[in-house]
Amino acid sequence: MITSSAPGKIFLFGEHAVVYGKTAIACAIDLRAHVTVEEAPTVQMKGPGGSVDLNPRKHPYIYSVVEKFKGFTDVTGVNIDIHSDIPVGSGLGSSAAVTIATIKALDAYYGTNLTLEDIAHMGHQVESEVQGRASPTDTFVSTFGGMVQIPDRKKLGFYDMLIVIGNTGKFSSTRKIVSNVAALKERHPIVIGQIMDTISAISETGIEFIQEGDFHTVGELMNINQGLLDSIGVGSKELSELVYASRKAGALGSKITGAGGGGCMIALCEHKNLSRVAHAIKRAGGDSFICRTSHVGVRIESK
Ligand SMILES: Nc1ncnc2c1ncn2[C@@H]1O[C@H](COP(=O)(O)OP(=O)(O)OP(=O)(O)O)[C@@H](O)[C@H]1O
Ligand SMILES: C[C@@](O)(CCO)CC(=O)[O-]
Ligand SMILES: [Mg+2]
């Protein structure tokens, strides 16, 4: 029996722009997906009611991972059991964390000796196939941990940041939201293209202030980024309510993280304001919890 785990992620800046090759800054957080694999007669998924054969419609990401392993190793029967503390469909990279942790567990189980680069690359292929379009961000962060700059695939090291996550509780499918933005960009290529360029500039400027530890300015740039995400149609009434409630309660900056349309927002806070911001988000109708950035990427937890 082998267990692996991989982290979820937040976007400090640059989601959606990164799909068009612009710069984004993302960071692993201390919420993780755990995947346990053990011998079984066929390739199965463990669920609440017991183990069932892997179903591509129910588990498209896991199915795609297994199909890739069939391309380079003898895939004998294996039972895959997933336990994740990452809210699903909430912009925190649950699909990437589950994908990367599954790749890592199967790599150890079948002895295929994949490098971290191989794992990140395979994970990106999986997300792209399942979602129709995906940047490498989520899977790269889940693989390497820490803070990263995409598309340059630069590992920026680790910056200890306290984040309040506000969850609207509204599921949003990354695939659908990303395709909506693509359609908008088709209709207004110059305008949306310039918005993506501006988001890219925010990411590139933001790196310097993160490295200097100037989190007041990082927060200001997050707020500007949030306005631009609203302009490409990925905001929502619920997300805006949580964003403005967190700012009123003292957040340095707050914005959507991930695909938007529902899901989560993040608020960058000083330690003294964490609980006040978390309570303000709850009063505004969201669920809130405090998380920390993490330097830990995908790893084997036990063999
Ligand atoms: N615990 C889990 N077990 C099995 N599959 C999971 C689990 N968590 C997430 N998934 C898969 O990931 C899908 C959600 O991925 P999606 O990309 O839509 O949202 P997300 O990754 O949480 O948010 P974002 O991509 O915006 O960061 C689920 O529909 C499911 O297929
Ligand atoms: C919306 C998006 O930029 C982030 C989803 O977490 C899509 C992607 O990067 O694949
Ligand atoms: Mg996802």
Side-chain angles (χ1 to χ4, degrees):
M1 183 182 284
I2 295 171
T3 299
S4 67
S5 75
K9 68 91 192 40
I10 55 170
F11 268 92
L12 281 173
F13 310 109
E15 53 271 274
H16 288 290
V18 71
V19 175
Y20 300 96
K22 305 300 177 185
T23 302
I25 306 296
C27 197
I29 55 175
D30 57 359
L31 299 178
R32 298 183 75 84
H34 291 78
V35 174
T36 299
V37 297
E38 58 185 333
E39 193 175 355
T42 59
V43 179
Q44 303 170 344
M45 284 295 290
K46 199 172 227 174
S51 295
V52 293
D53 281 350
L54 184 54
N55 178 328
R57 275 187 311 286
K58 199 156 177 266
H59 296 106
Y61 294 89
I62 312 303
Y63 183 83
S64 176
V65 167
V66 171
E67 287 305 297
K68 291 203 176 314
F69 269 83
K70 285 179 181 171
F72 59 88
T73 193
D74 175 23
V75 173
T76 55
V78 63
N79 185 290
I80 301 168
D81 187 10
I82 301 177
H83 294 277
S84 174
D85 46 352
I86 308 167
V88 179
S90 305
L92 299 178
S94 70
S95 64
V98 159
T99 298
I100 295 300
T102 301
I103 294 171
K104 183 70 176 175
L106 292 181
D107 172 56
Y109 183 74
Y110 292 121
T112 42
N113 296 315
L114 296 176
T115 66
L116 288 178
E117 281 295 347
D118 294 334
I119 292 172
H121 180 70
M122 189 192 294
H124 181 212
Q125 285 181 319
V126 166
E127 286 227 308
S128 300
E129 280 166 21
V130 173
Q131 289 166 198
R133 189 194 291 254
S135 78
T137 314
D138 293 20
T139 42
F140 192 74
V141 177
S142 283
T143 302
F144 290 99
M147 187 170 296
V148 300
Q149 178 181 336
I150 300 289
D152 308 335
R153 301 165 72 90
K154 256 193 223 159
K155 300 174 198 98
L156 300 173
F158 172 63
Y159 298 86
D160 189 16
M161 297 160 88
L162 290 163
I163 306 281
V164 177
I165 293 183
N167 193 341
T168 62
K170 305 276 185 203
F171 175 83
S172 85
S173 159
T174 300
R175 177 173 188 156
K176 178 169 169 299
I177 305 282
V178 166
S179 62
N180 292 348
V181 173
L184 185 68
K185 193 167 182 291
E186 280 282 305
R187 295 195 297 275
H188 305 286
I190 296 171
V191 171
I192 304 303
Q194 287 176 352
I195 289 172
M196 297 305 184
D197 288 341
T198 305
I199 293 176
S200 197
I202 290 172
S203 300
E204 284 155 13
T205 314
I207 298 168
E208 293 158 42
F209 292 108
I210 292 167
Q211 289 168 334
E212 288 165 16
D214 179 353
F215 293 116
H216 281 83
T217 306
V218 173
E220 191 174 47
L221 291 169
M222 288 170 67
N223 293 343
I224 298 169
N225 194 159
Q226 171 59 17
L228 294 169
L229 287 170
D230 261 330
S231 75
I232 62 173
V234 302
S236 75
K237 178 174 174 294
E238 294 84 1
L239 281 165
S240 294
E241 279 165 359
L242 304 192
V243 161
Y244 284 100
S246 66
R247 290 179 189 170
K248 196 169 171 214
L252 297 172
S254 52
K255 64 178 276 291
I256 288 165
T257 180
C264 289
M265 48 70 71
I266 57 172
L268 175 62
C269 297
E270 294 163 296
H271 196 279
K272 65 183 180 183
N273 288 332
L274 278 169
S275 52
R276 183 167 351 131
V277 169
H279 287 125
I281 289 171
K282 282 199 168 85
R283 284 197 301 275
D287 178 28
S288 67
F289 50 93
I290 295 166
C291 81
R292 206 167 195 132
T293 52
S294 170
H295 67 283
V296 183
V298 68
R299 67 182 179 193
I300 294 294
E301 297 285 350
S302 61
K303 268 189 176 178

